[in-house]
Structure formats: structure tokens, C-alpha cells
Amino acid sequence: MLRYIATRVVSLIPILFIVSLIVFLIIHLTPGNPAALILGQDASRASIHQLENKLGLNEPLFIQYLDWMKKLLTGDLGQSVYSSESVKGIIISHIGPTINLTVFALVLTLLVAIPTAVIAVWKRNTLLDPIFISLSLLGVSIPAFWLAILLVLIFAVTFPIFPVAGYVPLSRNFFNGLYHLFLPAVILACVETGLIARMLRDGMLEAIGQNYTKTARAKGLSESAVLLKHVFVNALIPTTTVVGTMVAGLLGGTVIVETIFTIPGIGQLLIDSIYRRDYPVIQGVILFIAVIYVLVNLLVDLIYTLLDPRIRYN
Amino acid sequence: MNHLRMNRFICLMIGLTLVFTLVGCGSQASDQTDSAPTKGGTLKVAYASEPDTLDWSFTSATATRDIGWNIFETLFALDKNYTIKPLLATDYKVSSDKKHYTITLRKHVPFQDGSVMSADDVIASLDRWRKVSSVGQITNSYIKKVSKLNDQTLRVDLKTPYSSFIESMSAPKSALAIIPEKIAKQALDQPLNTKQLIGTGPYQFAKWDKGQKIELKRFKKYASRKETNWGGLTGKKTAYFDKVDYLIVKDTTVRQNGLKTGLYDYAQGIPSDLYDTLKRSKQVAPVTYINGYSTLTPDKSEPPFNDLKTRQALNAALDKKAIAQATYGNQKFYQLDGALFDPSQKQLYTKEGTEGYLAYDKAKAKRLLKESSYDGKPLTIIYSNDNDNYKRIAEIVKQQMEEVGFKVNLVPYEWTTFLAKWKDPKNWDLEVVGWSTRFSPSELGMLVLNSNNSGWYKSQKWSSLLTQWGKADTDVQRKAVLKQMNETVYSELPFYKIANESSFDLRSTKLHYDSWLGERFWNTWKTSE
Amino acid sequence: MLKKRIWIAAGILIVLLLASVTSSWWLPHSPTHIEATQRLHGISAHNWFGTDHFGRDVFARTIAAAKVSFFIGMAVAFIATVLGTLVGLVSGYYRKVDFIIMRIIDGMMAFPALLLALALVAALGGSMTNIIIALTFANFPQMTRVIRSAVLKVKQLQFIEAAVTTGTGPFTILFRYVLPNVSSPIIVQATFTFAKAILAEAALSFLGLGISPSIPTWGNMLQEAQEYITIAPWLSIFPGIAIVITVLSLNILGDGLRDLLDPHRTKTMQPLKRKTQLKRAKTESTKQEVI
């Protein structure tokens, strides 16, 4: 097991290398002088030149990348052009709301998706199946921002049940915090549920075709017992991988939801930084999200392996 | 233990409050009550655009002004009728040759760092203002010497008489904010950093989370004047709130919805189209005030707008009536008027010489453009997309320009980035921005010679008119200069005035607030029902 | 039933596409003409979807915007498909380069597609070309993965092995034998990419980072409509419905094609090897990322 974990962790190195390369290239792709971008338009030529030397921008791209990597490995993500604070500090101060929102949405999604998928499989030969498929397709076809506008109009403006925007840290007031996060989380979850429920259903339908299911059925177990004991449990294990996908979807979705609800998280930080042309922060946020995504997937894989030891030998 | 129980109690209270707010929403009918002012609490302001500095002297940006004047004060200031009254000064005397001003200061006025204001602080602030402020720079050319007579008195000697001297010192933008001598000397020609934001105002600076919020807190030792009927920026000021939070909320919809649902107490910059609907609301009340005018400024340092012909072609291409109507919608919020000042400014307003304002003539524009040096290269219009009006003006201008043969790209920026991009002529050919109401020709930011604000306008004519203005004493003389100023603007076309605008903000009906120019939050309180 | 679904979805898309491409001939109003006196009018016989804050006809704009959305969607789907197919074929066929290519693809897929597109647009600027580049870059790794796993399966088939042993060149094998056999996942994935690109473009425009606001796109329209939601909800409703109809049709089409072209999938009652099932769960699981 330890050996497996070790190989899995080692296999991340090339991925993280590629991730860092892409993030590095984003700023070097920009038309124009990176030093001028970092310092802003009103910088003097002398200070641009000075920074070029300091950052080694006159060096070959390869050397620049190595230098950048060296700093990165010591946890130095650079400095914001806008507020001149460290990018690391800025990201840390924005991470809380995003984590809360993502986890909340994740829980909501699973709470709805799992029972829905089980029912869909159970009643797979009835009219519920096409309805389920249509709804899940509809779910992935609605733009999150449009849904957000409509839900805000209905549940926050016309019937003021939920706040239209804002964020209360959960540490300050847990329930009020959740209350503020509810609508944003529902919107993220709505979009995600269609996809996840569909994947769970497909996984379970496949499990139904398996030999063990047939054996169980042959033993004379009732349909619901077969479904719950054999199909569902067996399908659940591979679908832990789904959580990894969800994290990507949710992190992408937070950009929009945080902007609409003015939640001071990573997503809003990214959009604001793009408007401010604050490239070091843009770089930092993108890198951070990618690394989180890679790590979550590693974690999911490891949990998965623990649950189902067979995979290790593949 | 106690702590835990307390928390639970607070939760319960919040829950109950929520329920009551929900129930109460429909029933609260009372508008601004005349109940006695209540002290305490936090005022939450949904602020549309984040300023790049809070240094009130350094910039003429409205976002800076509207927060800055809560922190800082000037020697003289405008009252509610836009007439000049003393604030930190008690009085001034001017010699018969109009070249020597003696200004006396109020005693025992504390700064927010604990020191007490004296003539040294005022002289240091004046020195810095003469360097960093656009209004100060113009004033500087008249000043010969500033000297201290005693701790409470100073004397300013002018080279030549300058009739708008006191006027300039009370300008509400690029203002002569009085700061401690030590800080003025530290900061020199740089904008004040957050540690240097020390003034004498009713609120003091507390915290700035860049991109999120700016926090002010009550200045406990504030020394107020006594006059209750002056209003504006002077007279008696009381800071009722413990804290004022300016939350940076760029989204118009969130500002407006947040106010309706009680998330904010005051929201800036609401689309004027919503006026009729919101006017009827019981939870919110409109706040309106004159707010200068919107402009389109060409970069005159580079082709194609260094050529007057191209500028004339553009003037004929702009259908300002259509632009204003489509941008502001509600007639209550715009006015087609070509003058440099607002009609309510009786001393400064003249319509004479503004014949070139509405010059829409498509055929003429096409003809002039052909005769001009414009080579068909796409032009860049920059604007801030934090402001919906600028965005709309840019869009319509693009369309109207393309109809006569210009090629145009729109490049929107977030406000602070826009300010940075604005500084370099390479970044833009045309720029859309609004200029708030000014109180003297020397304060007209869009005409500050050879600056980015004016698109590097160079004009002998304009600078001699400014000199004439400084000498003009009587109303008749002044009006004559003003007329020539209008004429110069429409013959040299340094910028295009689009339309006078009125601002539309929203406040909670629980907020006791007197509308004037921009947002000031002293003498403002929230009734707790 | 299945075929009917596909036909309806395809029919809707074709009608919409034709309507928007020919719109300049038959639309009664210009989508960009500003009519300052006709602002924010509701639904009427004259303006079927009402007018916006510039007095422009919302129906005309919704139809005209379809052109832009379809163009971007198609361009992204096409380029991503061509790129993804080439890379996927090579990667699936040549085990030696496979490792390197797959690590690069894994690295690219570590970014949520929308964020990658956002960062690229921030770096390149928001023109139509740059948005197509950004969305292609964000979507083609997915394509590559799907095609690679299809190639891996096809490669084990006997006739490919036979071709290899008879000395057929790799080029011929890849394009004459392998490609036709992986065409169904390609078509299905291309349809989903099309749908995702339309959603992503709308999201970028909505965030103010899309195509110039003067060009009507659904995202731009919704972005502008947001502040009028309480007084002019039609501005937000119609472009939103247009997006949903288009994307939903594409998704139904893709879903239907998948079932049609791969009848074994989900309906299968044959025992599958655990290993393949796992692989499938993983590849399927990254199929659609939601914007």
C-alpha cells in the first residue's frame, strides 16, 4: 500500500511540472513587456529596465523558468501589482469563503444526486427514466450565471427569503454564514447535480449487468435488496472518483457565483485581478487552483484504493 | 460557558431579527423620521468604484473626494448653497491692492494623530498642495510668499491679484486638505499612504482591505464648528456612527438589491432607469444631486486627433441628443447644455458661446473626415466598465463614429487600471469619463493644460483666459471671460461635452441623510425601529 | 424514440442556425440599430421580445447573437476535434510518446476549463480569435483523452494486428483502419465540446471578458440585462432561454448519438471486465465540465 502511495505521489511530479509550465507561459504569452505589465503602464523606463534585470527577463526563457520555479518551491509566488502584498498572503486571505462554498455545494450535490440516481435506477423501466435523463441534461445546459440571476430575482428580491449577496465568515457566525452561502451553493449544486446523478446512474446500470448481481438475484433476493446491497454499494466505490471531477466543476463555477454574490473568495479575486491586469495574482490563483485540483484527485484515488484493493495491482 | 450561551443568544436574536425584517419589509411606511439622532452602529455604504488613493489633495477623482472629505478638512469650504464659508479658518482679510491675504485659524483643532493644528501645519499643507494638486499648481503661479505671523495666523502674498484665490483654496476636489506638517513633509509629491491619512475631519481612517472595503471610524476628539444652518462641507458636524464601512461593490444589481434587502444602508450609482420604480418603494428612498457632466476626450498629442479637422469631424459625427437619451434614459437625470458650468451655479454659468455643442451633421462629418489627416487606422476608446454610463456612451459613440467612417475599438478597464492606462498617450485615442461639478475655471480637470486629463491639450488661448479670469473682478467681466471660454472649447475642441448628469443614489428610509453634492456621512444617522 | 430525439434536437439547431445566418435578409429590425426613443419597451407585436436599454430589438439581437455563438462553438469544436484526434491517435497508438503526451494532457486538465480560458483571455485580450484559441486550448485535452482510450480499444482488435503483421504503414493503419473505428466517440465528443464552448463563451462575456460589447452575443446581452432585471426582465429571459435551448439540443444530440453509435453502453447486460469498467468510469467522469 505504501509503495502504491509512493508511486502515485511520484507520478504527480510530471503533472505538476506541466502545470507550472503552463502558468509560467501565461504571463510570457502576453503581448508586450512582462516587466511593464508587472509595474503598470506609468512605470518609468528605468524602473522597467531595473525590474527586467532583477527578474532576469533578459535571460533565456528557460533560465527564467528555473528561477521562477526556485522561488515557487520556497513558497514565493511574487507580489501583487495592485496592492503590493504578497500573492501567497492574498490567496490565503481569500481561500476561506471558497472552501466553505465549495464544500457546501459538494454536500448539497451529493445529498440530491445519490438518492435521485438510486430512484432512477430502481424505476429504470418506467417513465421516470426519460424524465430523469431530460432533467440531468437540462441541468448541464443551464448557464450558472443565468440561473443565479433568476434565483436571486425570485428568492432574494421578489420574495426576500435569502440575502442577495454578501458573505459572513462561518467562524464568526456559523448559521448566518450558511444562510448567506445557501443560494450560491444551491446554484453551484444545481448545475453539478445533473452531471453527477447521471454518472451515478450510468455506473449503477452497468453494475446491474454484472455477474454478482445476477447471482444475488438468482438467490432470490428482492429487487430493492439487490439494488441497495449489491448494485449501489459496488457502484459507489468507483464513483468516488466523481468527487474529483466535481471539485473542478465547482472551482470553475465559484468564479461566476462569487462574482454575482460578491463573496470575497478566490474566484472573485481572479476576476478582479484580471480587470486590474494584476498578472502575478492571476498566475498565483490559477496555479493554486490547479494544484488543489491535482491534490484532491490524488486523495480521491488513495481513498478509492483503500476501499477497493484490487486497483493497486493494475 | 458564559461565552457559549452568549453566542447562542446572539444566534437567536439574529434569527428573530431576520424574521422581523422579513415581516416588517412590507409594512414600514415611514419615510425619514424626525426622531432624535441616535449615536452608534456601523453605516454600510455600497461603493461603486474603489479609489486609487484617499489623498484628497492628490487627485480630483470623485471616489477619493467622497471618502476624503470625511477625513480631511479645508480652510474654507462650500456650504449647502455652494457659497464659501470658513471651516478651519475663522476669517481672512485682503489688502486693498488685493495682493495680501491674512488668514486666521481656529484654535484647539486636533488632528487625528493627537497633535493640534497650527499655522505651521497649514503652511506645510499649502506647500504640498501647490505641488501635487492640479488646482494648487495653478494657484501656485500667483503665490509669491507664504509666511507665519503667529501660531494662529498666516499671510499669503500674491504676485498679481488673483480673484479666485479663496475659491481655489475651498475647491472640493484636489482640495487643500490640512494635514500635519510632519506628514506633509514626509509625503512630498507622493500620494499619502494609509499611515499618513491624518486630517481633522469627523471620521478618521481605520482600515483598507484593497478590493474589499475601506473602514472609517468616529474621530472622538473632533472639534466641530457651531453653525447648524451652513450645511455643505462646513458648519456643525457630528459623527453619529461608530464606523463607516465603504464596501466596494462593483455590480449595480447587487448594490441595488443589497439595499432593498437591508445589506447596505446607502448605495451609490443606481441606473436612472430604475428611478420611477424605486421612488415608490417603502424601504428605500432616492438621493439625487448634480454631478457635473460626461465627456469624451481625444488624445491631442498624437495623430489623428492632433489635427483640428479630425476633431471637428468627430464633433459633427456625435449625435449628443441620442447619446444622452440612450445613456441616461430618464429626462430627470440629464440635461443637454453645452456650458462649462451648471445652470445652478449662477456666478459661473453662461450659455453664450456654446453654439458648437450640438453640431450633429453626418454629411459634414464625412466631408471633414475626408479632408482630415485620419488614415483609417482603428482608434482606441478607453473607459471604465465600473460605470455603466461611460460604458454606454463609449458604445454609442463607437457606432456613431463608424457611421461616418472612423474605425473604433472599445477597450474597457476596471477603474484603477483605467486611471493607470489613461496616463500614457500610447494606450488611447479617445477616453470617456465624467467630471463632477467644479467651482472655478481653474478646477476644470478636463482642461488642465498638457496633462493626461485634458488629453495633452495645449492652448495659448486657454491659458491667457485663465489669467484674465484671475484678474476679473466684476460679474460682467467674469461673464465675458466665461463666454470666451465656452467659445474656445467649441473652436479648439479639446474635449466633447456629452451632457450634464445628475447622480442617483439610494438610501434606506431608516437613514437620516441630507443630500448635497456627493456623499458625506456626518450629521447622518440611522433610526432604529 | 431515440432517433426521434436526435432528429428533434438536430432540427432545432439547424433551424436556429439557418435563421441566424439569413437574419440580415428577413429580420424586420437591425440588431445593432440604437433607437433612443424606444428604450426598454416590453413585449409587443412590433418588438416580439421587447427592446433593450438602447432601444434595440431584443428578438433581432437574440437571433443575430446565435450566429456568433454558433460560430465560436463550431470553430472551437472543429479545431479541438482535429487537434484532439491527431494527438489522441498518436498517443493511443505509439506507446512510447503516450507517456509524455498524457502527462501534458493531465497537466492541462488540472485547470478547470473555464479558469484556463479566463487566464488565457486575460493574457491575450478578448477578441473573437483569442476567445476561440482560449476555449480550444481549454477543451482539446478532454478530446484527446476520449480518443486515446478509444484508440487503445480498437488497437486490440484483430484486423489491426493483422494489418501490422502484413507490414501496412502506420499512417495507413491510423487513418484507414483506426480512425473510422473511433469516429463515433469523436462525433459525440465534438458535440459536447460545441455545447461547452457556447456556455463558456456566454460565461466569459457575462464576466465582461468576452467579445467586444458592441457585438451582440448572448453573454453580452445577459451582462447588460442584469441591472434591468427588476424593470425589464425580458432582457434577461430571452437570451437565457436561447442559450438553454441551443445547449440542451446539443447535449441531447450528443447523448443520443452516444447511445445510437455505441448501443452496448449502459444497456449492456454482458459482464465487463472490472478493469475496463474502472477506466470507463474515469474517462466518463471527466466528460463534461460545467460552466
Side-chain angles (χ1 to χ4, degrees), chain A residues 41-42 45 82-83 94 152 156-157 160-161 164-166 173 175-176 179-180 260 262 264 268 272 275-277, chain B residues 11 14 18 22 50 210-212 249 254 257-258 260-261 263 385 412-414 416-417 420-421 423-424 427:
Chain A
Q41 284 301 333
D42 44 335
R45 211 150 283 169
Y82 179 68
S83 65
H94 283 82
V152 166
V157 179
I161 304 168
V164 283
N173 188 326
F175 290 105
N176 197 16
Y179 173 65
H180 275 83
I260 292 177
T262 62
Q268 205 194 33
D272 285 349
Y275 279 133
R276 291 176 192 137
R277 307 294 194 270
Chain B
C11 282
I14 286 173
L18 281 170
L22 295 183
E50 184 167 29
K210 280 258 178 173
Q212 298 296 329
V249 186
V254 176
N257 288 344
K260 276 193 213 156
T261 53
L263 199 62
N385 53 0
Y413 291 107
E414 181 255 3
T416 38
T417 321
K421 297 281 173 192
K423 287 179 185 152
D424 190 339
N427 292 327

Side-chain angles (χ1 to χ4, degrees), chain C residues 108-171:
Chain C
M108 289 172 74
M109 289 186 68
F111 301 92
L114 179 66
L115 295 196
L116 191 57
L118 271 176
L120 283 169
V121 170
L124 299 168
S127 71
M128 172 97 77
T129 326
N130 290 343
I131 281 170
I132 291 173
I133 292 174
L135 292 179
T136 305
F137 196 75
N139 280 304
F140 104 92
Q142 182 65 57
M143 184 61 107
T144 307
R145 256 212 195 154
V146 171
I147 288 159
R148 172 184 169 268
S149 60
V151 171
L152 284 178
K153 256 180 247 161
V154 171
K155 222 172 77 176
Q156 288 162 354
L157 297 178
Q158 273 179 354
F159 73 97
I160 304 281
E161 279 173 28
V164 175
T165 43
T166 54
T168 318
F171 191 82

Side-chain angles (χ1 to χ4, degrees), chain A residues 14-15 18-19 22-23 26 30-31 137-138 140-141 143-146 149 153 191-192 195 198-199 202 206 209-210 214 245 248 252 255-256 260 270-271 274-275 279 286 289-290 293-294 301 304 308 310-311, chain C residues 103-104 106-112 114-115 118-120 122-123 199 202-203 206-209 222 226 229 236-237 240-241 243-244 247-248 251-252 255 258 265 269 272 274 277-278 280 282 285 288 290-291:
Chain A
I15 295 178
I18 298 294
V19 165
I22 293 172
V23 171
I26 284 175
T30 51
L137 282 176
L138 186 65
V140 291
S141 304
F145 61 89
W146 190 58
I149 297 174
L153 182 67
V191 179
E192 215 55 11
L195 181 65
R198 178 69 191 272
M199 278 197 248
D202 291 357
E206 235 165 291
Q210 304 287 333
K214 286 186 178 160
T245 321
V255 174
I256 286 173
I260 292 177
L270 179 68
I271 297 298
I274 289 175
Y275 279 133
Y279 288 94
I286 296 282
I289 290 178
Y293 176 68
V294 169
D301 265 13
Y304 180 22
D308 187 354
R310 275 170 296 182
I311 185 107
Chain C
R103 292 298 82 73
I104 296 176
D106 283 345
M108 289 172 74
M109 289 186 68
F111 301 92
L114 179 66
L115 295 196
L118 271 176
L120 283 169
L199 275 183
F206 179 76
L207 291 169
L209 296 165
L222 286 170
Q226 215 193 342
I229 179 103
S236 295
I237 289 170
I241 289 176
I243 296 180
V244 174
V247 177
L248 185 62
N251 280 333
I252 288 175
D255 205 61
R258 185 166 57 193
R265 198 186 157 277
M269 287 296 157
L272 284 167
R274 186 90 184 121
Q277 193 202 329
L278 286 177
R280 182 169 286 171
K282 281 193 116 180
S285 74
Q288 286 195 359
V290 182
I291 305 279

Side-chain angles (χ1 to χ4, degrees), chain B residues 136-345:
Chain B
Q137 284 159 4
I138 293 173
T139 316
N140 185 42
S141 59
Y142 293 93
I143 295 179
K144 192 161 138 203
K145 204 172 109 206
V146 182
S147 44
K148 175 181 170 180
L149 298 184
N150 61 44
D151 266 359
Q152 249 58 55
T153 321
L154 62 139
R155 187 182 139 130
V156 183
D157 299 318
L158 301 181
K159 291 173 195 159
T160 55
Y162 182 41
S163 59
S164 17
F165 179 59
I166 296 292
E167 212 167 79
S168 300
M169 287 203 296
S170 49
K173 285 212 155 184
S174 305
L176 172 53
I178 303 302
I179 54 177
E181 182 188 8
K182 201 176 75 191
I183 290 172
K185 289 194 166 149
Q186 264 172 18
L188 287 172
D189 56 348
Q190 291 300 306
L192 299 177
N193 64 36
T194 50
K195 287 189 192 102
Q196 295 168 329
L197 296 170
I198 301 291
T200 58
Y203 286 101
Q204 68 184 99
F205 174 79
K207 199 169 118 201
W208 190 343
D209 291 339
K210 280 258 178 173
Q212 298 296 329
K213 68 169 174 183
I214 296 170
E215 257 181 57
L216 305 185
K217 59 182 182 193
R218 182 193 297 127
F219 175 38
K220 293 198 183 102
K221 291 185 184 148
Y222 176 66
S224 175
R225 297 190 68 97
K226 302 280 178 283
E227 301 81 359
T228 49
N229 58 345
W230 282 7
L233 289 179
T234 178
K236 186 175 162 59
K237 297 184 197 172
T238 314
Y240 288 104
F241 292 102
D242 296 335
K243 261 174 68 192
V244 180
D245 283 0
Y246 293 88
L247 304 148
I248 315 297
V249 186
K250 295 197 172 144
D251 194 313
T252 326
T253 322
V254 176
R255 288 200 299 271
Q256 163 207 333
N257 288 344
L259 191 79
K260 276 193 213 156
T261 53
L263 199 62
Y264 315 120
D265 306 306
Y266 191 98
Q268 208 192 23
I270 302 296
S272 40
D273 282 308
L274 306 179
Y275 180 77
D276 290 329
T277 336
L278 291 169
K279 202 174 55 179
R280 291 193 296 269
S281 163
K282 279 166 186 162
Q283 301 110 274
V284 299
V287 179
T288 60
Y289 51 90
I290 57 159
N291 194 23
Y293 42 87
S294 44
T295 63
L296 174 73
T297 304
D299 164 18
K300 291 164 289 296
S301 70
E302 289 175 333
F305 291 114
N306 55 0
D307 179 7
L308 181 63
K309 268 267 163 61
T310 330
R311 303 210 292 273
Q312 285 167 340
L314 179 52
N315 197 36
L318 297 175
D319 180 359
K320 291 172 182 169
K321 220 168 139 185
I323 300 176
Q325 197 170 17
T327 302
Y328 304 102
N330 193 329
Q331 289 251 7
K332 194 176 155 41
F333 291 94
Y334 74 92
Q335 214 178 358
L336 290 165
D337 184 320
L340 287 167
F341 293 92
D342 192 88
S344 66
Q345 299 169 291

Side-chain angles (χ1 to χ4, degrees), chain A:
Chain A
M1 185 66 200
L2 271 177
R3 212 173 131 200
Y4 174 74
I5 295 177
T7 29
R8 259 321 255 112
V9 171
V10 170
S11 74
L12 288 188
I13 293 172
I15 295 178
L16 289 175
F17 166 73
I18 298 294
V19 165
S20 71
L21 202 62
I22 293 172
V23 171
F24 172 77
L25 284 177
I26 284 175
I27 200 167
H28 289 269
L29 268 177
T30 51
N33 184 337
L37 281 175
I38 290 170
L39 286 175
Q41 284 301 333
D42 44 335
S44 69
R45 211 150 283 169
S47 59
I48 288 178
H49 194 71
Q50 202 184 350
L51 187 78
E52 273 180 340
N53 282 331
K54 196 182 145 208
L55 295 181
L57 289 170
N58 305 318
E59 306 275 350
L61 215 56
F62 171 69
I63 306 281
Q64 287 183 42
Y65 174 70
L66 284 186
D67 286 344
W68 182 71
M69 262 320 263
K70 242 185 256 165
K71 274 195 195 152
L72 208 62
L73 291 175
T74 58
D76 180 4
L77 288 167
Q79 242 190 5
S80 159
V81 179
Y82 179 68
S83 65
S84 43
E85 287 168 51
S86 85
V87 172
K88 193 167 76 175
I90 297 174
I91 290 179
I92 290 171
S93 69
H94 283 82
I95 186 70
T98 305
I99 290 179
N100 292 339
L101 178 60
T102 315
V103 171
F104 194 0
L106 196 86
V107 171
L108 278 181
T109 307
L110 292 177
L111 277 181
V112 180
I114 292 175
T116 318
V118 171
I119 292 170
V121 173
W122 189 13
K123 303 275 178 197
R124 63 187 174 282
N125 293 323
T126 68
L127 203 66
L128 271 178
D129 191 56
I131 292 177
F132 170 83
I133 301 232
S134 313
L135 278 180
S136 77
L137 282 176
L138 186 65
V140 291
S141 304
I142 296 183
F145 61 89
W146 190 58
L147 190 66
I149 297 174
L150 295 187
L151 290 188
V152 166
L153 182 67
I154 299 168
F155 294 108
V157 179
T158 315
F159 305 102
I161 304 168
F162 294 103
V164 283
Y167 175 74
V168 175
L170 295 187
S171 53
R172 197 195 299 160
N173 188 326
F174 188 77
F175 290 105
N176 197 16
L178 282 190
Y179 173 65
H180 275 83
L181 279 180
F182 186 74
L183 216 47
V186 163
I187 288 155
L188 276 182
C190 268
V191 179
E192 215 55 11
T193 305
L195 181 65
I196 300 303
R198 178 69 191 272
M199 278 197 248
L200 285 169
R201 165 197 173 266
D202 291 357
M204 278 189 266
L205 278 183
E206 235 165 291
I208 283 180
Q210 304 287 333
N211 276 340
Y212 56 80
T213 315
K214 286 186 178 160
T215 317
R217 221 176 254 139
K219 278 197 300 191
L221 281 178
S222 73
E223 180 67 17
S224 55
V226 172
L227 264 182
L228 281 179
K229 275 194 185 153
H230 296 270
V231 175
F232 179 63
V233 173
N234 275 293
L236 205 57
I237 299 171
T239 44
T240 46
T241 53
V242 163
V243 173
T245 321
M246 277 174 69
V247 169
L250 291 173
L251 284 176
T254 51
V255 174
I256 286 173
V257 174
E258 285 178 6
T259 310
I260 292 177
F261 288 92
T262 62
I263 298 167
I266 294 281
Q268 205 194 33
L269 175 68
L270 179 68
I271 297 298
D272 285 349
S273 302
I274 289 175
Y275 279 133
R276 291 176 192 137
R277 307 294 194 270
D278 195 346
Y279 288 94
V281 179
I282 300 175
Q283 256 188 332
V285 171
I286 296 282
L287 182 72
F288 178 81
I289 290 178
V291 171
I292 290 287
Y293 176 68
V294 169
L295 292 181
V296 167
N297 271 301
L298 172 73
L299 204 70
V300 166
D301 265 13
L302 293 181
I303 292 172
Y304 180 22
T305 319
L306 271 176
L307 294 175
D308 187 354
R310 275 170 296 182
I311 185 107
R312 257 177 263 164
Y313 308 107
N314 290 324

